[in-house]
Amino acid sequence: MTDHAILEDTVVSLGDVDVTATVAARPSRASDFEAESRSMAKLVEMLANRPEELPQALAEAAMALTGANSAGVTLERDRQPGIIFEWIATAGEFARYVKGTMPRNFSPCGSVVAKNQAMVMREPVKVFPYIKSLHAPVREALLLPFHREGRPVGTVWVINHDDRTFDAEDLRIVGVLTNFAGAAMQSVALANHLQEVDRNKDNFLAMLAHEIRNPLGSIGLAAKVLSLAQGEVSAQHKTIAIIQKQTKQLASLVEDITDVVSIRSGKLKLQTERTTAQDILSLALEVSAPMVDAKGLSLQVFAPSDPLVLEVDPRRLAQVLINLINNATKYTESGGHIQVTAASDTGGVVFEVADTGKGIPAEMLNRVFDMFMQVSENPAPDYGGLGIGLALVRQIVELHGGVVAVSSPGLQQGSTFTVRLPKSLSTLEASAAMRSTDQC
């Protein structure tokens, strides 16, 4: 990453303002371990009682211990990782800029993240002209990379607005604070994740009981009716049909759960063979079309006339499409529309299932493939399920070396699921091979 600006016909590069190498030679004050210990104790207390306030406490501690005029914590936005940085905590002169944003590719923070090392910049405005718009001059900035899961995702920074300079002690102190905050926030994130997993498992067990109770109740009632039918053939046939339908539903639930366990334990093996996307579509529609019709939805299927050849497990890939179509059916109101498409893609094949249904809020898009996840925390009966269908989709697709993604403009605006799969043979080569086989 190269940052530069042009001032008075002279190119100014990041190296012209980077004074990190000179810091070690500057006169350094003695360490104040007592003040440092008090600050660390406050951070520990904050972590235990109000972890959401830890970034702000970190900024204030960094400013106090270094004597800087401003301090802050800058992290990449979760929805725009590696592109946009946000000042999630600020203190001192720059406190007013909390929640402000900046592009990674043209900011001191972006330079530090790109280098993944501490930097001290003198008069950074020479390279980053936007600093002129801030209400106080930035004479010197000390920034350290902030890590999450071993990756730099932002910075902790302190700024002098006057002519004071930072020394090696300042660099050490901010480093200690940054390392502590990184470990602490990682612990908080892990704890939150475990709590969410626990909640999702509770929801899963509740939904499992609900999903099993309904067909069991129907089977029990049907068995009672059957015992009272006393030779009424039509009543017996209807009752038997109910038992068969509900038993099939129970078998499907058990199969999904078994598949998830098998995949997660590495025991599921794909039975790959040469087939076509069109054949896989046919397998999936044979199962899903009746459910689409029963819901009163229109269904369109698009596929090219030439076979799209794949080396996959056709039963498992059909299962992927069945889950996606059934998911679209479940979340689309009567009168809605579902479109299923198969097409050639660079180096592979792409399947797409689009609907005009309930849609997915932006904050849920990255989570819909998580185990036990429901788009709604309190789904209506029509939107029920165990929350493992889409998780199973992702796992099967990834076993094939593919990727699955989802997009949605928002609630009540439908959604589109896209599956991209590689193929070991080109369409033309494989098509020719199949035609040759057919002629033998």
Side-chain angles (χ1 to χ4, degrees):
M1 178 176 179
T2 302
D3 298 301
H4 67 273
I6 298 178
L7 295 179
E8 300 178 355
D9 299 324
T10 301
V11 176
V12 180
S13 70
L14 186 62
D16 295 319
V17 301
D18 181 3
V19 296
T20 312
T22 70
V23 172
R26 293 175 178 177
S28 184
R29 71 187 189 284
S31 301
D32 187 349
F33 292 116
E34 184 178 346
E36 191 174 336
S37 296
R38 287 196 301 268
S39 294
M40 293 300 292
K42 184 177 179 180
L43 290 175
V44 170
E45 180 184 1
M46 191 70 68
L47 174 63
N49 299 309
R50 300 188 303 279
E52 70 281 358
E53 299 178 18
L54 187 62
Q56 184 61 38
L58 171 64
E60 293 172 0
M63 188 176 71
L65 291 174
T66 62
N69 303 119
S70 291
V73 180
T74 303
L75 294 181
E76 63 183 17
R77 278 185 165 179
D78 290 340
R79 286 182 290 173
Q80 297 167 298
I83 300 174
I84 299 295
F85 286 122
E86 180 177 357
W87 289 9
I88 67 168
T90 52
E93 294 290 329
F94 280 178
R96 68 178 68 186
Y97 297 120
V98 68
K99 301 304 179 184
T101 61
M102 66 190 72
R104 168 178 174 159
N105 290 338
F106 197 62
S107 68
C109 180
S111 300
V112 171
V113 169
K115 290 178 175 292
N116 193 21
Q117 63 185 35
M119 292 186 69
V120 179
M121 300 182 191
R122 188 70 183 174
E123 300 292 347
V125 68
K126 295 178 181 179
V127 177
F128 307 103
Y130 76 88
I131 292 177
K132 289 181 179 178
S133 65
L134 304 177
H135 84 285
V138 178
R139 299 302 185 196
E140 192 159 283
L142 185 161
L143 307 95
L144 278 84
F146 184 92
H147 292 85
R148 180 187 294 157
E149 297 180 354
R151 183 175 69 88
V153 296
T155 60
V156 177
W157 48 268
V158 288
I159 289 174
N160 283 330
H161 301 301
D162 52 30
D163 289 331
R164 285 179 297 171
T165 59
F166 293 111
D167 59 26
E169 177 64 8
D170 296 319
L171 194 58
R172 184 193 69 80
I173 288 174
V174 179
V176 169
L177 293 174
T178 301
N179 290 338
F180 169 81
M185 292 177 69
Q186 183 102 358
S187 298
V188 170
L190 178 60
N192 290 339
H193 174 70
L194 291 175
Q195 288 177 356
E196 182 178 0
V197 168
D198 195 47
R199 286 194 300 269
N200 287 340
K201 284 184 177 179
D202 288 342
N203 292 337
F204 165 75
L205 292 174
M207 291 304 301
L208 178 60
H210 172 77
E211 293 290 330
I212 291 178
R213 185 184 298 115
N214 283 347
L216 283 178
S218 298
I219 291 172
L221 180 61
K224 185 176 181 179
V225 170
L226 190 60
S227 67
L228 299 174
Q230 295 182 349
E232 296 180 16
V233 176
S234 61
Q236 290 180 355
H237 286 172
K238 290 179 181 179
T239 304
I240 290 171
I242 292 174
I243 292 176
Q244 291 174 332
K245 178 182 177 181
Q246 299 301 333
T247 301
K248 184 177 180 180
Q249 183 176 342
L250 282 174
S252 178
L253 289 173
V254 172
E255 184 178 353
D256 278 353
I257 295 172
T258 302
D259 285 343
V260 167
V261 173
S262 297
I263 292 175
R264 291 170 72 89
S265 63
K267 294 180 179 178
L268 189 142
K269 304 299 181 184
L270 298 179
Q271 303 297 320
T272 59
E273 60 182 75
R274 191 172 60 190
T275 185
T276 68
Q278 290 86 342
D279 286 341
I280 294 168
L281 276 176
S282 296
L283 286 172
L285 293 172
E286 183 179 347
V287 176
S288 296
M291 181 178 174
V292 175
D293 292 339
K295 188 75 178 286
L297 306 175
S298 63
L299 174 66
Q300 284 185 300
V301 181
F302 297 95
S305 55
D306 291 334
L308 299 174
V309 181
L310 290 164
E311 293 279 349
V312 295
D313 185 328
R315 186 176 73 85
R316 290 298 180 185
L317 198 51
Q319 185 180 1
V320 165
L321 294 180
I322 290 168
N323 281 359
L324 291 179
I325 296 171
N326 289 354
N327 185 75
T329 303
K330 185 188 302 181
Y331 288 97
T332 303
E333 298 294 337
S334 178
H337 177 68
I338 297 174
Q339 180 174 302
V340 182
T341 305
S344 180
D345 189 39
T346 304
V349 170
V350 59
F351 292 94
E352 202 170 78
V353 178
D355 63 67
T356 58
K358 185 180 179 182
I360 304 170
E363 65 272 15
M364 294 292 295
L365 286 173
N366 292 332
R367 302 171 59 198
V368 295
F369 297 106
D370 291 349
M371 190 66 66
F372 314 133
M373 181 55 61
Q374 300 279 355
V375 172
S376 172
E377 293 184 0
N378 298 298
D382 286 347
Y383 300 148
L386 298 180
I388 63 176
L390 294 180
L392 188 58
V393 163
R394 180 173 65 181
Q395 292 172 4
I396 292 176
V397 170
E398 289 178 352
L399 278 178
H400 283 87
V403 294
V404 59
V406 60
S407 62
S408 174
L411 287 175
Q412 308 305 325
Q413 299 184 66
S415 57
T416 300
F417 287 82
T418 304
V419 174
R420 298 184 185 279
L421 294 164
K423 55 186 178 183
S424 57
L425 301 173
S426 72
T427 300
L428 292 178
E429 290 173 339
S431 297
M434 290 192 74
R435 285 195 297 271
S436 176
T437 301
D438 291 340
Q439 293 170 0
C440 291

